[in-house]
Amino acid sequence: GSGNVGAGAANAMVLRGVAREIVMVDINTKRAQAEAEDILHAVPFSSHAVVVRQGEYKDLDGCQVVVITAGVAQRPGETRLQLLGRNAAIFKGMIPQIVASAPDAVLVVATNPVDIMTHLTAHYAAPLGVPRRHVIGSGTTLDTARFRSILGRELDVDSEHVHGYVVGEHGDSEVLAWSMTTVGTVPLQDYAQARGIELSPTLIQDVDDGVRHAAYRIIEGKGSTYYGIGAALARIVQAIVRDQRSLLTISVPVETIGDVHDITFALPAIVGGDGIISVLPAPLNDEEEALLEHSARTLRQALDDLTAAGDL
């Protein structure tokens, strides 16, 4: 996909020096060619030698990572399930073509709803011999970045030192894990007390709203989001290409959570050259754990609806 998200990710990869070669593939070859050419012109400013070009599925031969941003937008009056069905049909035809050219690549899915689309990607890729650890969704990497940046602003501290996570669905039911948030090694409450900052219900609600509803505001203002998710995808790809063993909140397979079975959603995981290396436990409090189970049920219902409609 070479739309706004795909192009934003490729540009971020160039600026970060993540890859030696980036191939842009899209059914709209003119768009892919134009984006590749435009991004290539940024290479001299990045201090990294990078090749950026338009290509076809066959040009994915030997690549280490394939980032999937392809998909269709929701039509007026179309239900979420109908949109899911159309994107499922696209992925059903696309994933075999990707795997045929890049059987060893790690697949990084960003198409929304990303948890469902990651689940579908793994479903379509498994019969082709792709191990489950090689299928990753962007999950809540962007939501986690939003949480850290907004909270860092409220706490008057560099967001790099805010260690907080958003888990569950990348969507309305996501869970901000306040109970396990720290600033450096200092628990959030202790940091706020030391700095004379009141963690009032209003502040907490404002941060939650800033994270949970960010996409709605951005889409209303400019049509779509792409800078943040582009940077998040570049970070995931960097962790894979450089085998960094990075801790990221990506979409991973979850066998059981509460009374819900076989879903895909975001949890902290170690990501490296072989994809998902390990999924880590999230020590949530009881309220957050209940919210996470609700998030899981939301996704399970969507998957059950897809199955009933014959799309899974």
Side-chain angles (χ1 to χ4, degrees):
S2 298
N4 288 337
V5 174
N11 188 56
M13 288 180 217
V14 166
L15 297 178
R16 291 181 71 103
V18 170
R20 177 68 185 87
E21 182 176 5
I22 298 172
V23 179
M24 309 283 291
V25 179
D26 198 287
I27 191 170
N28 183 345
T29 55
K30 283 190 174 182
R31 174 68 182 265
Q33 176 63 48
E35 295 289 4
E37 185 175 356
D38 194 11
I39 294 167
L40 179 66
H41 298 162
V43 169
F45 304 108
S46 71
S47 301
H48 301 283
V50 183
V51 174
V52 186
R53 63 186 178 88
Q54 181 268 333
E56 308 297 335
Y57 286 110
K58 61 182 177 60
D59 296 301
L60 302 178
D61 180 36
C63 76
Q64 194 169 350
V65 184
V66 176
V67 177
I68 304 171
T69 65
V72 293
Q74 195 163 2
R75 295 167 175 165
E78 185 177 38
T79 67
R80 183 169 177 265
L81 183 58
Q82 289 170 331
L83 173 64
L84 275 172
R86 289 200 294 137
N87 273 331
I90 290 172
F91 271 50
K92 191 172 185 178
M94 179 176 62
I95 299 305
Q97 295 185 77
I98 293 172
V99 174
S101 296
D104 299 321
V106 176
L107 309 181
V108 178
V109 182
T111 303
N112 276 320
V114 68
D115 302 294
I116 300 294
M117 300 314 298
T118 305
H119 194 93
L120 290 175
T121 298
H123 176 75
Y124 297 140
L128 305 174
V130 177
R132 185 58 186 85
R133 67 181 181 276
H134 280 188
V135 181
I136 292 173
S138 57
T140 56
T141 50
L142 176 55
D143 311 84
T144 292
R146 287 168 174 160
F147 186 27
R148 290 174 171 174
S149 61
I150 295 170
L151 190 54
R153 182 184 64 200
E154 297 293 337
L155 299 175
D156 191 29
V157 66
D158 184 348
S159 59
E160 180 182 355
H161 303 298
V162 177
H163 303 295
Y165 301 95
V166 178
V167 295
E169 177 197 16
H170 171 59
D172 293 343
S173 71
E174 64 191 22
V175 181
L176 279 64
W178 288 93
S179 66
M180 53 187 285
T181 299
T182 66
V183 180
T185 60
V186 182
L188 176 60
Q189 189 68 51
D190 294 345
Y191 172 88
Q193 185 175 356
R195 292 289 309 276
I197 299 170
E198 182 186 2
L199 292 175
S200 65
T202 299
L203 184 149
I204 290 172
Q205 183 57 50
D206 286 347
V207 173
D208 185 284
D209 177 70
V211 175
R212 194 180 305 275
H213 301 126
Y216 295 113
R217 287 190 296 274
I218 293 169
I219 291 170
E220 182 180 359
K222 68 172 197 171
S224 63
T225 67
Y226 38 90
Y227 295 131
I229 185 59
L233 289 166
R235 180 67 188 89
I236 295 169
V237 172
Q238 181 182 51
I240 298 166
V241 170
R242 299 183 184 175
D243 193 22
Q244 289 182 322
R245 313 301 173 99
S246 301
L247 178 60
L248 301 168
T249 50
I250 56 169
S251 296
V252 296
V254 178
E255 289 187 9
T256 302
I257 178 165
D259 59 356
V260 182
H261 304 282
D262 186 26
I263 61 163
T264 299
F265 70 1
L267 290 173
I270 303 297
V271 183
D274 205 27
I276 302 168
I277 295 173
S278 180
V279 179
L280 304 181
L284 305 174
N285 63 28
D286 291 344
E287 180 182 0
E288 292 163 347
E289 191 67 38
L291 290 171
L292 190 63
E293 290 184 21
H294 168 71
S295 186
R297 280 191 288 274
T298 299
L299 290 167
R300 184 64 258 174
Q301 183 61 57
L303 289 168
D304 288 345
D305 289 344
L306 274 177
T307 301
D311 295 317
L312 178 60

